[in-house]
Amino acid sequence: MKRTNPLYSSPEAFLLASVLAPHMGAYSAHLQSGRYASSTIHGYILGLVHFATWMAQDKLSVELLDEIAINRFLAEHLPHC
């Protein structure tokens, strides 16, 4: 997989500009309320950046995100990334 767009200052900046941005607050709050370590939260956020990058490359909107799309990411993209 190519790195995130170089126009963004960080992977998190890319994520905050992605289609998943409206959901980041709830996701972060969920992880923090679960008392995850900050390093674990950072790793999970980077995983979400990877997923958001794949969504952008496939031009996949949140509305089209379903079990089939997630399985395609896991079964087809990740093994070759």
Side-chain angles (χ1 to χ4, degrees):
M1 184 178 120
K2 292 194 275 185
R3 292 194 156 278
T4 56
N5 190 320
L7 296 176
Y8 297 97
S9 60
S10 69
E12 291 83 358
F14 170 80
L15 187 58
L16 291 174
S18 78
V19 296
L20 297 180
H23 309 283
M24 285 308 303
Y27 183 61
S28 293
H30 171 75
L31 294 174
Q32 289 172 355
S33 71
R35 301 183 55 146
Y36 287 87
S38 60
S39 59
T40 300
I41 292 173
H42 183 72
Y44 286 177
I45 297 296
L46 290 178
L48 203 54
V49 168
H50 187 160
F51 186 66
T53 302
W54 173 81
M55 286 179 67
Q57 290 171 345
D58 272 23
K59 296 176 179 41
L60 185 65
S61 68
V62 172
E63 294 78 24
L64 296 176
L65 191 57
D66 59 9
E67 190 173 342
I68 293 170
I70 292 169
N71 284 335
R72 192 164 38 111
F73 174 75
L74 295 173
E76 295 174 18
H77 174 75
L78 280 183
H80 300 97
C81 181

